[in-house]
Amino acid sequence: MNLTELPFTIDALREAYRAGLRPEQVIAEAFRRLDAVGDAGIFIHAARENALAEAKALGEPDGRPLWGIPFAAKDNIDVAGMPTTAACPDFAYAPDADAFVVARLRAAGAICLGKTNLDQFATGLVGVRTPYPVPKNALDPAIVPGGSSSGSAVAVAHGIASFALGTDTAGSGRVPAALNSLVGLKPTLGALSATGVVPACRTLDTISIFALTVADAWTALEAAAAPDSADAYSRPIAVPALTAPPPSLRIGVPNAASLVTFGDTVQANDFRATVADLAKGGATIVEMDLEPFFAVARMLYEGAWLAERVAAVGDRLIEKPDTLHPTTRAILEPGLALTAADAFRGFYQLKDRAAVCRKALAGIDALCVPSIPAFVTLDEIAADPIGPNSRLGTYTNFANLLDLCGIAVPTGPRADGRPGGVTLLAAKGRDALCAAIAAGLEAGPLGATGWTRPDASLPDAERPTGDEIAIAVCG
Amino acid sequence: MNLTELPFTIDALREAYRAGLRPEQVIAEAFRRLDAVGDAGIFIHAARENALAEAKALGEPDGRPLWGIPFAAKDNIDVAGMPTTAACPDFAYAPDADAFVVARLRAAGAICLGKTNLDQFATGLVGVRTPYPVPKNALDPAIVPGGSSSGSAVAVAHGIASFALGTDTAGSGRVPAALNSLVGLKPTLGALSATGVVPACRTLDTISIFALTVADAWTALEAAAAPDSADAYSRPIAVPALTAPPPSLRIGVPNAASLVTFGDTVQANDFRATVADLAKGGATIVEMDLEPFFAVARMLYEGAWLAERVAAVGDRLIEKPDTLHPTTRAILEPGLALTAADAFRGFYQLKDRAAVCRKALAGIDALCVPSIPAFVTLDEIAADPIGPNSRLGTYTNFANLLDLCGIAVPTGPRADGRPGGVTLLAAKGRDALCAAIAAGLEAGPLGATGWTRPDASLPDAERPTGDEIAIAVCG
């Protein structure tokens, strides 16, 4: 196979390496692809020489799970030797050390291609709130790339990086996946250490993973996830090998009134078709009123948690507001007026609303929702920088406030050719269940690559043993 | 036995009822004792007629666990038909319904004698921050009664009520117990519903129970504890029948540097004697540096959580500050200046500090500390209304911020005759373990009553079965 046609899925690369391909060839090809795409907005810092040198230094294949796999990191995640900007040039600093997760990925053999563009300080779901060139959506230059992890998503969608790190507070790891026909894995809060990550809402942030397939996202998660004693929000979360989900699942879906698509009937029909597939696969579909979830979602930018973003940006908002993107500044400034008492009132309200949601979730194994309610064009966001952004968070904003894990997965083109996709959400720690369900649904193009989607079937879970060993008793 | 000499411990009352005593006689005797004590500061609302009528209406003994048992409720807990003041007359309202916990106690047959005095809005550990007459310490009128649950503690210490409800955010359910030779049970947050309770710090508040013995406190807890769907902070906490603790416990105690007694060497020696008793009983003593716990404790009044009290008191602090006790007002006012961003910075700091404490706690079954570092006199608190109050919280302020359960228990008179006592603390849900250890230590006077302490020995736990059934396999 010609190198220019080689899929950068992890299995395809592993096979090519077994056949003698060199990592430095892969890195060179990655940057050739970047140049061919010609989108100056994807990377804020492309680490061409550094990545090539690392590739050469890898030596011979050594069995490490990510040996020679190229990845990109959102530029609010530290990589030693590269500046961290959070898309705010005045904020830039030179980190001494890799973020905990980056260090784990590199220890597993992965090679970092560089730092990708984002909505400034990870505030946004559109990808246009950056002083750098706006990355182009990999599938349709008229629609927004999605954010805040815009560059990471586009880099993977073009097959430049095998996977990329994003972060996800409001949906920044799922919305860009949906807009670029990718998998966007947002693990349970605390599964991926935040050490070396610029906070947005520290209590609600997580690193996320973009990949072309569920399997690749999961492989990256397996390497990246580990408890980190330096991050008080780190929690041990199980990341077992994926197996097929149990046959009889109860999947919650929005009822008719909750299926919000802002008039996009194609999206509504596409979602219903996916639900029909789930039912055909044996799942029990539970129609749910999502209004309690939407009520939680609204709290992310309307109350206490806005102040958490203010706490993250710090004195800059007061002392150097001109260094902020105008939209970011406009969003954050009301947070300055919130009092600590307001914050507590917000927590009480969330606690009450979360109790209602928890009750609804108790009856299901996972929740399946559209990843986005509708697409947003660059023209729409130019005309109104905030409204369409807010709408993109319809099905994502509530997840971290409710301590859910989630994974956005492409389900194949909609009737109009745009990428269809859903997100599986479940209670904390059920990451593997969500990923397994997603693997049963993933379909359609691998981003913008044109590569053939590999078989995603999962092995059956081993039958439980131990307690159920039959013992012959005689006497 | 003469009724005036009848101990109001629950077992003694049950026995007297079996022998034919009537609840209305007990209620009359309770108020006779109150009159004999002659302390107008204990009750804000004494419900003489109401309690008598309820007693008469009880009919014949019916086996309910608290049938005919008199109790008092701190006046920040609603009892239908009685005003709730939180010790702020201008705040007073007439609740339509009993607080959830009060309703459960009454459903179990208990009779409410009235509403007791407190540090206004439950802010304080001294009991003197009230516009009503200050209740007198039941043992020594020169020392503070302790707060904020002052009246509840003093009512039990004089044998007027068999048990009393307090609340405990910073130590309001433990400090007054220590100052009046009582048991003060502060359950795991969420075990006792907050429905119908005036909040102090809603995320850190719990109802607490004062009683003369561990057994009586536990009996009241068994009746009161239940999940409450109306309180989003309610959690199901196990309240099993108490059994003797496992023989080989690891008990953490402050190391020499952490044994803070502000120069009270009698207190330090008394505590060391209790630790020696624990060791003699078979426990492994683990000396710990408590500075990380003290660092958490300081956060309760120095940061974000002060604003939570402001949120609870609401606009009163701005619009009607003259309706507040001057000390309460002075404590709360700085909370008005705290921003929501300050609050989040406080949470991050707590998360970091709590991680250090959790690590320390992982190596022990429970922590044993002095309940108070030293006694505080009325003169001292008159000279400085805040400093001595803060010192009283040395060993209590951190408990709810760290989600620990706790129980203060008298251990008998110190060398100078003042009540000695310790508090057992442990991770959430270990309420029964703490109570069982406390039952092994309780000693000395039952408050100020002069009654003989009943035997507190607990039955052994049943040996585990099920998993360990021996199966004979042959073939």
Side-chain angles (χ1 to χ4, degrees):
Chain A
M1 182 183 283
N2 192 314
L3 181 56
T4 60
E5 287 159 15
L6 177 69
F8 274 9
T9 53
I10 294 175
D11 269 351
L13 278 174
R14 283 176 180 165
E15 197 184 318
Y17 285 140
R18 278 193 296 271
L21 186 71
R22 287 294 313 163
E24 49 269 38
Q25 294 174 280
V26 167
I27 298 306
E29 170 62 13
F31 285 109
R32 189 203 62 75
R33 291 177 188 183
L34 175 62
D35 294 338
V37 168
D39 183 344
I42 300 176
F43 282 92
I44 290 177
H45 178 87
R48 290 172 194 259
E49 290 72 28
N50 196 69
L52 263 180
E54 267 190 48
K56 284 181 189 156
L58 271 182
E60 295 304 307
D62 55 14
R64 282 184 289 163
L66 297 176
W67 189 90
I69 305 297
F71 76 102
K74 185 176 180 178
D75 198 19
N76 59 349
I77 301 170
D78 288 345
V79 180
M82 306 183 197
T84 300
T85 71
C88 178
D90 189 70
F91 173 78
Y93 62 89
D96 289 333
D98 286 341
F100 181 91
V101 161
V102 169
R104 284 190 60 87
L105 294 172
R106 294 173 96 171
I111 299 170
C112 184
L113 299 174
K115 307 291 295 291
T116 57
N117 207 345
L118 65 152
D119 283 318
Q120 193 175 68
F121 288 112
T123 295
L125 293 171
V126 283
V128 308
R129 298 172 176 172
T130 172
Y132 299 99
V134 171
K136 287 181 188 62
N137 184 291
L139 299 167
D140 179 349
I143 63 172
V144 297
S148 61
S149 318
S150 52
S152 282
V154 174
V156 174
H158 283 303
I160 297 165
S162 295
F163 69 91
L165 299 180
T167 59
D168 188 320
T169 306
S172 293
R174 290 161 281 160
V175 168
L179 291 168
N180 292 280
S181 196
L182 297 177
V183 170
L185 194 171
K186 184 216 78 65
T188 297
L189 291 180
L192 294 176
S193 161
T195 299
V197 180
V198 179
C201 291
R202 189 170 157 195
T203 62
L204 301 176
D205 296 335
T206 176
I207 286 181
S208 70
I209 297 167
F210 295 101
L212 295 172
T213 67
V214 172
D216 282 4
W218 197 256
T219 299
L221 180 68
E222 286 177 315
D228 172 12
S229 62
D231 173 13
Y233 289 89
S234 169
R235 295 188 287 188
I237 303 292
V239 186
L242 289 185
T243 56
S248 58
L249 286 168
R250 291 175 63 83
I251 309 268
V253 302
N255 64 15
S258 307
L259 185 54
V260 174
T261 61
F262 300 103
D264 186 343
T265 52
V266 181
Q267 184 75 340
N269 289 335
D270 193 68
F271 179 72
R272 288 192 200 99
T274 300
V275 173
D277 285 345
L278 283 166
K280 220 180 297 168
T284 301
I285 304 300
V286 182
E287 295 211 341
M288 291 169 58
D289 174 14
L290 290 198
E291 181 45 40
F293 294 82
F294 298 153
V296 168
R298 286 191 289 271
M299 300 186 74
L300 197 59
Y301 283 100
E302 288 175 8
W305 289 270
L306 184 58
E308 192 162 24
R309 293 182 190 265
V310 171
V313 172
D315 294 337
R316 173 176 307 279
L317 195 53
I318 296 161
E319 291 171 7
K320 296 175 165 189
D322 294 342
T323 64
L324 291 168
H325 190 279
T327 307
T328 313
R329 179 180 169 183
I331 289 164
L332 296 182
E333 270 177 344
L336 287 170
L338 291 167
T339 67
D342 291 333
F344 279 102
R345 282 186 281 261
F347 305 145
Y348 307 152
Q349 194 173 47
L350 172 61
K351 195 85 181 177
D352 284 338
R353 292 179 178 183
V356 177
C357 295
R358 201 172 312 114
K359 220 169 177 177
L361 291 169
I364 58 171
D365 295 298
L367 182 63
C368 179
V369 294
S371 297
I372 54 170
F375 289 80
V376 170
T377 66
L378 288 171
D379 288 345
E380 285 170 324
I381 202 70
D384 174 4
I386 293 181
N389 184 96
S390 299
R391 292 200 288 276
L392 278 177
T394 301
Y395 297 106
T396 57
N397 279 350
F398 57 80
N400 284 329
L401 284 165
L402 294 173
D403 205 2
L404 307 181
C405 58
I407 185 167
V409 63
T411 53
R414 314 190 314 174
D416 62 358
R418 282 187 166 166
V422 298
T423 290
L424 281 305
L425 296 159
K428 65 175 175 188
R430 294 196 187 177
D431 304 72
L433 176 67
C434 284
I437 300 170
L441 294 173
E442 60 183 327
L446 299 178
T449 64
W451 299 332
T452 305
R453 183 172 289 279
D455 176 30
S457 55
L458 294 169
D460 285 332
E462 277 179 41
R463 273 204 284 166
T465 55
D467 291 349
E468 293 175 55
I469 291 171
I471 298 179
V473 180
C474 51
Chain B
M1 183 185 280
N2 193 313
L3 181 57
T4 60
E5 287 159 17
L6 178 68
F8 275 9
T9 54
I10 295 175
D11 270 351
L13 278 173
R14 285 176 179 165
E15 196 183 318
Y17 284 139
R18 279 194 295 271
L21 187 70
R22 287 293 312 163
E24 49 268 37
Q25 293 174 281
V26 167
I27 300 304
E29 170 62 12
F31 286 109
R32 190 203 61 75
R33 291 176 187 183
L34 175 61
D35 294 338
V37 167
D39 183 345
I42 299 176
F43 282 92
I44 290 177
H45 178 88
R48 289 171 195 260
E49 290 71 28
N50 197 68
L52 263 180
E54 265 189 52
K56 284 179 191 157
L58 271 181
E60 294 305 307
D62 55 16
R64 282 184 289 163
L66 297 176
W67 189 90
I69 305 296
F71 76 102
K74 186 176 179 178
D75 198 18
N76 59 348
I77 302 171
D78 288 346
V79 180
M82 307 182 197
T84 301
T85 70
C88 176
D90 189 70
F91 172 78
Y93 63 90
D96 289 333
D98 286 341
F100 181 92
V101 161
V102 169
R104 284 189 61 88
L105 293 171
R106 292 172 96 171
I111 299 169
C112 185
L113 299 174
K115 307 291 294 290
T116 57
N117 207 344
L118 64 152
D119 283 318
Q120 191 175 70
F121 288 111
T123 295
L125 294 171
V126 283
V128 308
R129 297 171 177 174
T130 172
Y132 300 98
V134 172
K136 285 180 190 63
N137 183 291
L139 299 168
D140 179 349
I143 63 171
V144 297
S148 63
S149 316
S150 52
S152 282
V154 174
V156 174
H158 283 302
I160 296 165
S162 294
F163 68 92
L165 299 180
T167 59
D168 188 320
T169 305
S172 294
R174 290 162 280 160
V175 167
L179 291 169
N180 292 279
S181 195
L182 296 177
V183 169
L185 194 170
K186 184 216 79 65
T188 297
L189 291 180
L192 295 176
S193 161
T195 299
V197 180
V198 179
C201 292
R202 190 170 155 195
T203 61
L204 301 177
D205 295 337
T206 177
I207 286 180
S208 69
I209 298 167
F210 295 99
L212 295 171
T213 66
V214 172
D216 282 3
W218 197 257
T219 298
L221 180 68
E222 286 177 315
D228 172 12
S229 61
D231 173 13
Y233 289 88
S234 168
R235 295 188 287 188
I237 303 292
V239 187
L242 289 185
T243 55
S248 58
L249 287 168
R250 290 174 64 83
I251 309 269
V253 303
N255 63 16
S258 307
L259 185 53
V260 174
T261 62
F262 301 103
D264 186 341
T265 52
V266 181
Q267 184 74 340
N269 289 336
D270 192 68
F271 178 72
R272 287 193 200 98
T274 301
V275 173
D277 285 346
L278 283 166
K280 221 180 297 167
T284 302
I285 303 301
V286 182
E287 295 212 342
M288 292 169 57
D289 174 12
L290 290 198
E291 181 46 40
F293 295 81
F294 298 154
V296 168
R298 286 190 290 270
M299 300 186 73
L300 197 59
Y301 282 100
E302 288 174 9
W305 289 270
L306 184 57
E308 192 162 24
R309 293 181 190 265
V310 171
V313 172
D315 294 336
R316 173 175 307 280
L317 195 53
I318 296 162
E319 291 172 8
K320 295 174 163 189
D322 294 343
T323 63
L324 291 168
H325 189 279
T327 306
T328 312
R329 178 179 169 183
I331 290 164
L332 296 182
E333 269 176 346
L336 288 170
L338 290 168
T339 67
D342 291 333
F344 279 102
R345 282 186 281 261
F347 304 145
Y348 307 152
Q349 192 172 49
L350 173 61
K351 195 84 179 177
D352 285 337
R353 292 179 177 182
V356 177
C357 295
R358 201 172 313 115
K359 218 169 175 177
L361 291 169
I364 58 171
D365 295 298
L367 182 63
C368 180
V369 295
S371 297
I372 53 170
F375 289 80
V376 170
T377 65
L378 288 171
D379 288 346
E380 284 169 325
I381 202 71
D384 174 3
I386 293 181
N389 183 94
S390 300
R391 293 199 288 277
L392 278 176
T394 301
Y395 297 106
T396 58
N397 279 349
F398 57 81
N400 284 328
L401 285 165
L402 294 174
D403 205 4
L404 307 181
C405 59
I407 186 167
V409 62
T411 51
R414 315 191 310 176
D416 61 359
R418 282 187 167 165
V422 298
T423 289
L424 280 305
L425 296 159
K428 65 175 174 186
R430 294 196 186 177
D431 304 72
L433 176 67
C434 283
I437 300 169
L441 293 174
E442 61 183 327
L446 298 179
T449 64
W451 299 332
T452 305
R453 182 172 288 280
D455 175 29
S457 55
L458 295 170
D460 284 332
E462 277 178 40
R463 271 204 285 167
T465 55
D467 288 351
E468 292 175 56
I469 291 171
I471 297 180
V473 180
C474 50

